[in-house]
Amino acid sequence: MSYDADVGIVGGGPAGTAAAITAAGSGMRVRLYERASFPRNLPGETLHPGVGVLLAALGVDVRVTAASAYRHAGVFVDWGGNRSVQPFGQDEQGPWLGYQILRRDLDRILMDRALELGVDIRQPVGPVRVRVEDGRVVGLREPAGETRYRFLIDASGRAGFLRRGLALPSQVASPPLRVAYGYRAGDPDALRETPTLVGDASGWAWMAQVAPGLVHWTRLAFDGSKVEGPPRALADLPPIGPTKGADVSWNRVVAAAGAGYFIAGDAAMVLDPVASNGTLRALLSGMRAARSIEAVRVGAVPEARATGNYDRWLADWFDHNVRQLDSLYRELRPVHSPYFHQGESLA
Ligand SMILES: Cc1cc2nc3c(=O)[nH]c(=O)nc-3n(C[C@H](O)[C@H](O)[C@H](O)COP(=O)(O)OP(=O)(O)OC[C@H]3O[C@@H](n4cnc5c(N)ncnc54)[C@H](O)[C@@H]3O)c2cc1C
């Protein structure tokens, strides 16, 4: 059987590029499709310190550190009136520091690294379709013709390339949750010190200084009402760009891996940003998908075991986060909300 590459990857965000770098680093031929032209802005700029070890494994830790405007040791949280700075943690070398980096910079650094390792990057590429033969994902149908891969990794984020293409079922574990987010110009002192999360019975707001002169905000209303603008603390700062929205209902694809495919990052599961590990999840799942493929390729693990283990790993991660978010939201006691009911688990 001849293949256009060992691995085809759809999506060039953190999940897709982490998968590409890992697969190319272990000697596989990789082709990556990204439909958007870069640079482009996306949310996901406050990175948990846990990404540090992943960035090092990908060979980009020095570049990401240099491009990070701020490194915070924790987050200021006002959750139902309980106020504290919640540190990320520390070890003998000192406090663990998160990263504050614009997505356009993170995406460029990861794409550059993939290019250095010989990944064949097709960008911007129009619509591609999945090819399935005898129940197995075998490749892509694209405007230029048909291609064939040993494995396909879907890292298309919320677009859910394989979820739609294979009509895979989803597990939804929350009521519909929609955030509004946007940017303001300014440098509020408090935000330069730490990003801030404020929650009460009506919803929550997240604010972070993502670069000098640039503040990101995200808000969610528990009653589903439309959020028109930023939290009051930022209302006087001039807006940069429009307010946008995103569906952040907690959901995961059932069967995140199967015959010929793996699904990584937001394409596999979405949690709301209070979980604060979306980019970490994207990087780690992309890397793990690529390592699983390598293990199958060299005959160390049968494919069915590799895909089953990967799917279970993501399902466990999802359940753990859902339980954590559920108990966090219960602390706010949003008794007026039609969504969150005391004593009734959302999980
Ligand atoms: C408002 C908001 C705030 C957030 N804040 C944070 C935060 O502070 N920290 C954090 O860690 N996480 C945050 N997140 C979550 C984080 O943004 C995501 O978890 C992360 O971007 C997921 O990375 P990914 O690579 O899976 O997907 P994405 O980053 O969405 O990348 C997917 C890529 O696939 C491409 N693509 C899609 N379809 C196709 C196709 N058919 N062909 C080719 N290419 C395709 C897209 O163009 C895109 O570049 C936030 C999310 C939201 C909504």
Side-chain angles (χ1 to χ4, degrees):
M1 182 75 68
S2 88
Y3 297 99
D4 291 273
D6 297 305
V7 188
I9 299 175
V10 178
T17 46
I21 293 166
T22 307
S26 63
M28 290 190 271
R29 289 180 307 133
V30 183
R31 183 176 293 173
L32 182 149
Y33 298 84
E34 169 54 57
R35 71 179 173 190
S37 295
F38 285 5
R40 56 104 161 80
N41 281 323
L42 279 179
E45 299 128 331
T46 305
L47 308 189
H48 188 275
V51 302
V53 61
L54 307 180
L55 297 172
L58 295 168
V60 295
D61 50 331
V62 173
R63 283 178 256 187
V64 170
T65 301
S68 296
Y70 306 102
R71 308 278 319 265
H72 301 296
V75 173
F76 175 76
V77 179
D78 177 348
W79 203 245
N82 293 323
R83 298 187 182 95
S84 64
V85 173
Q86 296 191 358
F88 292 125
Q90 60 177 36
D91 56 28
E92 57 285 352
Q93 280 154 27
W96 297 339
L97 301 176
Y99 302 78
Q100 204 64 68
I101 180 169
L102 293 174
R103 267 299 296 272
R104 63 163 187 253
D105 292 334
L106 179 66
D107 289 339
R108 177 184 45 77
I109 290 169
L110 288 164
M111 275 290 203
D112 284 352
R113 179 69 180 143
L115 267 174
E116 284 164 20
L117 292 172
V119 174
D120 173 5
I121 294 173
R122 307 284 168 107
Q123 180 184 25
V125 162
V128 289
R129 293 244 165 87
V130 61
R131 285 177 64 201
V132 180
E133 286 175 10
D134 300 327
R136 179 177 183 84
V137 169
V138 295
L140 294 172
R141 187 164 295 125
E142 41 183 297
E146 293 192 338
T147 48
R148 186 174 277 273
Y149 306 100
R150 277 178 204 274
F151 279 96
L152 193 68
I153 297 180
D154 172 13
S156 62
R158 284 141 200 285
F161 175 73
L162 280 185
R163 203 186 289 219
R164 289 169 199 265
L166 300 178
L168 296 171
S170 300
Q171 177 192 353
V172 181
S174 77
L177 298 173
R178 197 166 171 78
V179 290
Y181 66 94
Y183 294 85
R184 297 263 152 164
D187 295 270
D189 287 343
L191 289 186
R192 267 206 315 278
E193 292 298 317
T194 53
T196 293
L197 176 66
V198 181
D200 62 24
S202 65
W204 56 257
W206 164 259
M207 292 166 274
Q209 185 85 42
V210 292
L214 187 64
V215 176
H216 169 95
W217 62 268
T218 301
R219 284 180 70 191
L220 181 142
F222 289 137
D223 66 2
S225 59
K226 191 155 187 257
V227 174
E228 297 291 352
R232 218 172 308 130
L234 305 180
D236 292 338
L237 300 179
I240 297 185
T243 296
K244 295 186 177 167
D247 181 351
V248 294
S249 310
W250 312 337
N251 72 89
R252 77 172 183 100
V253 64
V254 175
Y261 77 90
F262 287 79
I263 307 180
D266 277 8
M269 76 159 98
V270 171
L271 295 159
D272 75 59
V274 167
S276 78
N277 60 16
T279 307
L280 184 149
R281 234 174 23 241
L283 293 169
L284 187 54
S285 57
M287 294 167 78
R288 180 152 175 173
R291 287 198 187 121
S292 303
I293 290 171
E294 174 62 357
V296 175
R297 190 177 74 108
V298 301
V301 182
E303 179 179 327
R305 182 158 4 125
T307 54
N309 285 347
Y310 180 85
D311 185 45
R312 237 181 335 273
W313 171 68
L314 276 181
D316 288 348
W317 195 345
F318 181 75
D319 288 346
H320 177 73
N321 271 262
V322 163
R323 275 196 299 276
Q324 270 185 334
L325 285 171
D326 189 34
S327 85
L328 263 178
Y329 284 147
R330 276 169 202 292
E331 288 172 24
L332 297 178
R333 307 178 73 83
V335 287
H336 303 300
S337 158
Y339 293 144
F340 298 88
H341 303 288
Q342 298 297 311
E344 183 187 315
S345 176
L346 295 167

